[in-house]
Amino acid sequence: MASSGLELLLVSLPQLGRGAAQTLAISALGIVFSTLGGVAYGVLASLNRRGLNLVLRVYLELFRAIPVLVWLYLLFFGLPIFFALSIPSFWCAVLVLSLWGSSEVGEVVRGALRSLPLGQREAGLSIGLSAWQLYGYVLLPQALKRMTPPTINIYTRIIKTSSLAVLIGVVDVIKVGQQIIERTYESVLIYGVLFLFFFFICYPLSAASRALERRWTHA
Amino acid sequence: MSALIEFEGFNKFFGDQQVLKAVDLQVRRGEVVVILGPSGCGKSTLLRCLNGLESADGGHLRLGGEELLAPGTDWRQVRQRVGMVFQSYHLFGHMSVLDNLLLGPLKVQKRQRHEALAQAQALLARVGLLDKRDAYPRQLSGGQQQRIAIVRSLCMNPEVMLFDEVTAALDPEMVKEVLQVIQGLARDGMTLLIVTHEMAFARAVADRIVFMDAGRILEQNDPESFFSNPQTARAQQFLEKFSYMESLPKKMPAKELS
Ligand SMILES: Nc1ncnc2c1ncn2[C@@H]1O[C@H](COP(=O)(O)OP(=O)(O)OP(=O)(O)O)[C@@H](O)[C@H]1O
Ligand SMILES: [Mg+2]
């Protein structure tokens, strides 16, 4: 039994590895785009322009109120029907995760920027910095400490949520696991492997987030 | 000789409230002007309009003869010519003292590093803080931070410096070290616009006192005339409050204090 389990694992490893690569690729792209989008969202929100804030607010609420799964279905099945535009399932998953992640990271960035004293902005402007320079050299670096721990937590949620991609047909690590279970009925073993896979990716991240938070709130 | 700074019929509103009312003020090159007036009369707003932190609502504002309220004004350019120091210093907390000082010269003015560095160090030495060049703002006292903030503005080689109650947040023993720096600038012939509640300092440093109340300039005079013989009732009341403080008996009975 034990040896056959081990054998199964060894045999399935390449297949599981390909699935894991898909999961990691979707997550990594989602994280990169969410970070870029989130910083853009946070900076735009911190400008305090009324029209702009309204647009961002609507965007945020759409992604807070509507489950990620529904967005996946909407874009994957809806776009071809309504706009004759079809996106491969992999990129559809990346897109939805990025849009959702951007709104989450964006709120964190906005809050961190807002927590800075107004005088930092005025002092920066007073020496002639442009808006880009002001954010790049003065505001974002100081917001970084406050925004990094919660942003890392959002990264773990992006990784976990990437598993929804199965439902629009992405063959990620979970899908591969299911296929193996269908063939071999070794559900405990395979789900155990999936458990460890996600745990060993997400746990270090949330531990790092906590450590940074401890270090920086006492500094 | 025409004025370096010229407010003419200058108006500023916050919502419906008019906080500056037809202000006329001229400052010559090399002149030290101290603006006095009760809280909320618009002193800070006047300074902030001069470097574009607040926008104007009418009238004229000229710097070196050039109209700043024209649509095409490049405020980034203006701000390099008009240094501003704030009550609470606002040093950049994530940067060392030198990086605070060099940010503007290197990134805004694109100057050579060695040249800007030499200037920054010379100015630091002048305010007695050269040994703090690698320190971070949080490691410095309020008085030290404020002197660094002054140097940060000076490193841009401005034509005029604005000081908005720069000693108001300081412990009494640190006020002197900051005021001495400002006095040094005055002696060097720098053009200064100073808002302060330190009356003795105003009297000592000013070429001219401008007294404001409720958004208007009520009187302008040389310090001796202003302090010994104020022309308006509002200025008299204002000065009486300060002379009352100075004329308090040396020691209050402990009972009355508690
Ligand atoms: N951002 C703002 N929005 C609305 N009203 C403002 C704003 N800033 C200042 N004011 C108002 O404008 C008036 C002038 O303010 P200002 O700060 O220029 O006064 P001040 O003379 O500098 O007072 P203080 O001596 O207390 O610093 C005040 O009535 C103040 O309440
Ligand atoms: Mg003020």
Side-chain angles (χ1 to χ4, degrees), chain B residues 13-15 17-20 37-48 54 87 164-165 195 197 212:
Chain B
F13 290 83
F14 283 117
Q17 186 198 3
Q18 186 168 11
V19 295
L20 293 176
S39 180
C41 70
K43 307 179 295 288
S44 297
T45 307
L46 189 71
L47 295 193
R48 291 162 59 83
E54 304 288 354
Q87 178 174 329
D164 191 0
E165 301 198 33
V195 172
H197 286 300
M212 290 181 66

Side-chain angles (χ1 to χ4, degrees), chain B residues 8-238:
Chain B
E8 191 187 319
F10 187 88
N11 294 318
K12 168 71 188 169
F13 290 83
F14 283 117
D16 293 337
Q17 186 198 3
Q18 186 168 11
V19 295
L20 293 176
K21 300 169 185 162
V23 168
D24 290 312
L25 176 65
Q26 303 203 337
V27 180
R28 290 187 312 278
R29 207 174 279 279
E31 199 178 13
V32 178
V33 171
V34 172
I35 304 172
L36 301 178
S39 180
C41 70
K43 307 179 295 288
S44 297
T45 307
L46 189 71
L47 295 193
R48 291 162 59 83
C49 285
L50 188 45
N51 75 349
L53 287 180
E54 304 288 354
S55 59
D57 297 304
H60 296 282
L61 171 55
R62 286 180 282 268
L63 178 65
E66 178 191 330
E67 176 65 59
L68 299 186
L69 304 190
T73 299
D74 180 359
W75 281 104
R76 290 186 61 200
Q77 208 64 44
V78 174
R79 287 170 182 146
Q80 295 174 46
R81 301 165 61 190
V82 181
M84 175 128 184
V85 185
F86 302 88
Q87 178 174 329
S88 12
Y89 349 121
H90 303 316
L91 294 179
F92 307 130
H94 61 303
M95 293 181 180
S96 70
V97 165
L98 266 185
D99 288 339
N100 266 275
L101 303 184
L102 293 178
L103 183 62
L106 297 185
K107 302 298 177 187
V108 177
Q109 299 180 325
K110 317 271 186 218
R111 284 155 55 189
Q112 292 290 320
R113 188 181 172 85
H114 64 85
E115 176 266 329
L117 184 65
Q119 180 191 25
Q121 292 189 334
L123 286 167
L124 274 181
R126 183 176 160 173
V127 302
L129 291 174
L130 187 55
D131 58 326
K132 300 291 184 194
R133 70 189 141 190
D134 296 317
Y136 281 81
R138 64 175 175 279
Q139 302 167 319
L140 303 174
S141 74
Q144 291 171 332
Q145 290 189 57
Q146 192 60 293
R147 281 182 281 160
I148 302 289
I150 294 173
V151 171
R152 180 174 63 183
S153 276
L154 290 174
C155 281
M156 305 295 290
N157 296 315
E159 293 168 50
V160 51
M161 290 277 285
L162 313 177
F163 292 94
D164 191 0
E165 301 198 33
V166 294
T167 57
L170 297 179
D171 291 337
E173 68 264 31
M174 295 168 187
V175 169
K176 184 176 151 204
E177 63 195 40
V178 171
L179 294 185
Q180 279 173 335
V181 170
I182 301 176
Q183 232 166 351
L185 297 176
R187 263 196 304 273
D188 289 357
M190 178 123 204
T191 312
L192 307 180
L193 242 74
I194 303 171
V195 172
T196 183
H197 286 300
E198 303 280 343
M199 291 302 138
F201 174 66
R203 195 167 184 158
V205 80
D207 295 317
R208 177 156 50 110
I209 301 284
V210 170
F211 178 73
M212 290 181 66
D213 187 39
R216 289 181 204 283
I217 293 181
L218 291 196
E219 58 180 284
Q220 309 191 27
N221 221 329
D222 66 275
E224 278 323 301
S225 313
F226 177 79
F227 283 104
S228 56
N229 188 18
Q231 300 299 302
T232 57
R234 284 299 285 133
Q236 280 163 23
Q237 283 169 11
F238 177 79

Side-chain angles (χ1 to χ4, degrees), chain A:
Chain A
M1 183 69 212
S3 75
S4 80
L6 200 63
E7 233 167 78
L8 172 63
L9 260 189
L10 286 176
V11 176
S12 347
L13 220 46
Q15 206 188 347
L16 275 171
R18 276 194 299 278
Q22 286 280 298
T23 295
L24 290 178
I26 292 176
S27 302
L29 288 167
I31 284 172
V32 169
F33 291 133
S34 295
T35 307
L36 296 174
V39 169
Y41 175 110
V43 168
L44 290 176
S46 76
L47 296 177
N48 255 331
R49 303 273 156 74
R50 199 173 302 164
L52 196 57
N53 276 358
L54 191 72
V55 172
L56 294 175
R57 189 84 221 166
V58 169
Y59 168 62
L60 174 74
E61 294 301 337
L62 282 177
F63 277 90
R64 288 218 166 141
I66 299 172
V68 174
L69 180 57
V70 175
W71 277 110
L72 274 176
Y73 283 153
L74 213 58
L75 294 191
F76 188 69
F77 298 112
L79 281 185
I81 296 172
F82 296 110
F83 298 98
L85 179 77
S86 75
I87 315 177
S89 55
F90 176 91
W91 289 106
C92 187
V94 169
L95 177 66
V96 169
L97 282 180
S98 303
L99 289 172
W100 168 67
S102 294
S103 72
E104 294 285 320
V105 174
E107 278 296 297
V108 167
V109 174
R110 184 178 75 102
L113 285 171
R114 226 190 17 192
S115 73
L116 300 176
L118 188 63
Q120 291 293 309
R121 169 186 301 268
E122 298 191 337
L125 290 177
S126 300
I127 56 170
L129 295 180
S130 67
W132 287 110
Q133 292 173 327
L134 180 67
Y135 278 92
Y137 294 123
V138 175
L139 301 181
L140 285 173
Q142 293 190 83
L144 198 63
K145 280 191 177 180
R146 193 177 284 254
M147 69 198 204
T148 301
T151 299
I152 294 177
N153 281 329
I154 294 171
Y155 292 168
T156 67
R157 286 165 58 205
I158 291 176
I159 295 168
K160 289 180 286 184
T161 309
S162 77
S163 57
L164 292 178
V166 175
L167 297 165
I168 55 170
V170 174
V171 185
D172 69 349
V173 71
I174 297 199
K175 186 68 189 175
V176 171
Q178 286 171 343
Q179 289 168 344
I180 297 172
I181 291 169
E182 275 165 28
R183 272 203 326 269
T184 64
Y185 302 105
E186 288 280 5
S187 52
V188 175
L189 179 70
I190 296 299
Y191 279 125
V193 170
L194 293 181
F195 171 90
L196 291 176
F197 173 77
F198 281 102
F199 181 81
F200 278 111
I201 292 173
C202 291
Y203 178 75
L205 285 177
S206 51
S209 159
R210 269 196 307 281
L212 286 177
E213 185 149 17
R214 257 199 315 277
R215 161 122 45 106
W216 283 343
T217 46
H218 295 300

